[in-house]
Amino acid sequence: MNKLKRAVILIGMVFTIQTAGSAILVPPVDSHARTTYVWIAPHYGKKYHFSRNCRGLNNAGYERHVTIHWARAHHYRLCGFEK
Ligand SMILES: [Zn+2]
């Protein structure tokens, strides 16, 4: 009986540690922050665009679809036509 009790306590501790660990690993979810995707032209300046048909992308050539978070983290700025 005593052994069983010990095992239960041990399992409880493991679960607590796992829960605490995942709480640190999983980033907090902001319910307001919906992922927004933007267009960038990596070989054509440091601007991002909400619209793929934007004038600023006319001569871009190679385009990439990325999250706005990624674009900002890489120092892209909103294009002048979409301000
Ligand atoms: Zn634009």
Side-chain angles (χ1 to χ4, degrees):
M1 198 60 183
N2 204 16
K3 263 187 180 170
L4 183 70
K5 215 172 183 182
R6 244 188 172 174
V8 169
I9 290 166
L10 197 70
I11 290 164
M13 277 173 66
V14 169
F15 266 103
T16 309
I17 290 162
Q18 279 185 343
T19 309
S22 59
I24 293 161
L25 286 175
V26 177
V29 177
D30 186 348
S31 56
H32 295 289
R34 271 184 58 214
T35 306
T36 304
Y37 285 88
V38 294
W39 291 97
I40 59 163
H43 304 310
Y44 195 79
K46 280 279 190 179
K47 304 282 182 178
Y48 65 79
H49 310 260
F50 290 111
S51 167
R52 197 181 185 175
N53 302 316
C54 174
R55 280 186 283 165
L57 278 170
N58 277 352
N59 304 312
Y62 172 60
E63 295 156 20
R64 264 187 76 184
H65 207 200
V66 299
T67 64
I68 193 166
H69 179 84
W70 188 96
R72 284 187 176 151
H74 290 79
H75 309 293
Y76 282 83
R77 291 191 178 184
L78 177 62
C79 101
F81 300 116
E82 294 174 66
K83 272 175 184 168

